[in-house]
């Protein structure tokens, strides 16, 4: 793996939008001129079953074509997965974990058995309910990831995401506005220790 490559692993449940968030993230990064990968891990999953999606971002062409096993960032859309899925596998001591939760980073770190400085929290479900009207935490978690990475321009991500949402929800401006608002709020509200 290139020292300049960023790898992200998304954990969610079927229907929460882990695949969509990984794709939106990749498309926004692609617009900055970087090389990207975005793909889900498919299996016999159904609505509510644990799922994973992956991203790679690099200044150079990406030649790896496998799941992300040593992520720089892990994004957890459903905190109940921390009980049943090894969400911190491969993160080492430098990886960052972003969790959709109302608990503090210290409480989540204790639960995961990692250093609290590696944990970021945001109540993406609450943000989604208040901005989108549904508990679909994927777009808020996209905003949180952009903030934690720290090298991406949130305005560029919002602009690119708006274009993608316009293509799909042109006749539902409230869906577009709600999702963009959720990204910005999570960007502003994600916190760590």
């Amino acid at each position: 793996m290139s020292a300049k490559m960023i790898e992200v692993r998304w954990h969610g449940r079927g229907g929460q939008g882990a695949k969509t968030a990984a794709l939106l993230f990749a498309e926004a990064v692609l617009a900055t001129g970087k090389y990207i990968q975005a793909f889900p891990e498919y299996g016999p999953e159904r609505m509510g079953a644990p799922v994973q999606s992956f991203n790679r971002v690099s200044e150079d062409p990406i030649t790896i074509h496998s799941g992300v096993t040593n992520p720089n960032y892990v994004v957890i859309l459903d905190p109940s997965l921390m009980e049943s899925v090894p969400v911190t596998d491969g993160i080492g001591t430098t990886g960052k974990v972003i969790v959709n939760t109302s608990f503090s980073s210290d409480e989540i770190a204790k639960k995961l058995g990692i250093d609290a400085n590696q944990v970021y929290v945001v109540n993406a479900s609450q943000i989604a309910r208040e901005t989108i009207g549904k508990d679909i935490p994927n777009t808020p978690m996209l905003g949180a990831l952009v903030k934690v990475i720290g090298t991406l321009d949130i305005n560029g991500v919002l602009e690119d995401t708006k274009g993608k949402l316009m293509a799909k929800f042109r006749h539902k401006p409230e869906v577009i506005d709600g999702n963009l608002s959720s990204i910005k709020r999570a960007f502003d509200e994600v916190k760590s220790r």
Side-chain angles (χ1 to χ4, degrees):
M1 178 175 83
S2 161
K4 295 183 254 176
M5 188 180 306
I6 294 172
E7 293 187 308
V8 180
R9 187 173 64 219
W10 299 78
H11 289 277
R13 293 191 182 276
Q16 289 183 319
K19 174 187 170 190
T20 300
L23 292 172
L24 287 171
F25 175 71
E27 290 171 349
V29 171
L30 180 64
T32 70
K34 293 180 175 30
Y35 292 90
I36 56 94
Q37 280 184 349
F39 54 99
E41 179 179 80
Y42 277 121
E45 292 87 354
R46 292 204 163 111
M47 191 74 102
V51 296
Q52 293 182 92
S53 289
F54 309 100
N55 288 113
R56 287 192 177 92
V57 177
S58 180
E59 300 287 336
D60 303 313
I62 301 170
T63 58
I64 302 168
H65 299 285
S66 61
V68 171
T69 56
N70 298 100
N72 305 96
Y73 303 92
V74 171
V75 183
I76 303 170
L77 301 179
D78 187 326
S80 72
L81 292 171
M82 295 186 300
E83 309 293 330
S84 59
V85 174
V87 293
T88 58
D89 275 5
I91 67 162
T93 58
T94 59
K96 307 288 186 212
V97 179
I98 309 163
V99 183
N100 168 20
T101 184
S102 60
F103 291 104
S104 72
S105 55
D106 286 324
E107 291 169 300
I108 296 298
K110 186 174 181 180
K111 189 175 279 202
L112 292 174
I114 61 175
D115 188 286
N117 293 317
Q118 291 179 267
V119 178
Y120 292 79
V121 294
V122 64
N123 197 336
S125 288
Q126 178 180 336
I127 291 171
R129 284 190 299 271
E130 291 174 1
T131 58
I132 305 166
K134 294 181 182 178
D135 185 0
I136 302 176
N138 63 341
T139 52
M141 293 303 282
L142 170 61
L145 175 62
V146 170
K147 176 69 171 260
V148 174
I149 290 175
T151 58
L152 300 171
D153 173 39
I154 187 63
N155 294 320
V157 170
L158 288 167
E159 201 54 42
D160 189 76
T161 303
K162 181 178 181 179
K164 303 299 183 280
L165 292 172
M166 292 272 302
K168 188 173 182 179
F169 298 107
R170 182 169 309 282
H171 300 295
K172 294 185 177 180
E174 69 282 359
V175 172
I176 298 165
D177 294 342
N179 276 281
L180 295 175
S181 176
S182 76
I183 292 169
K184 182 70 170 92
R185 266 193 61 189
F187 179 88
D188 292 337
E189 294 177 22
V190 67
K191 57 187 174 254
S192 69
R193 192 157 220 211

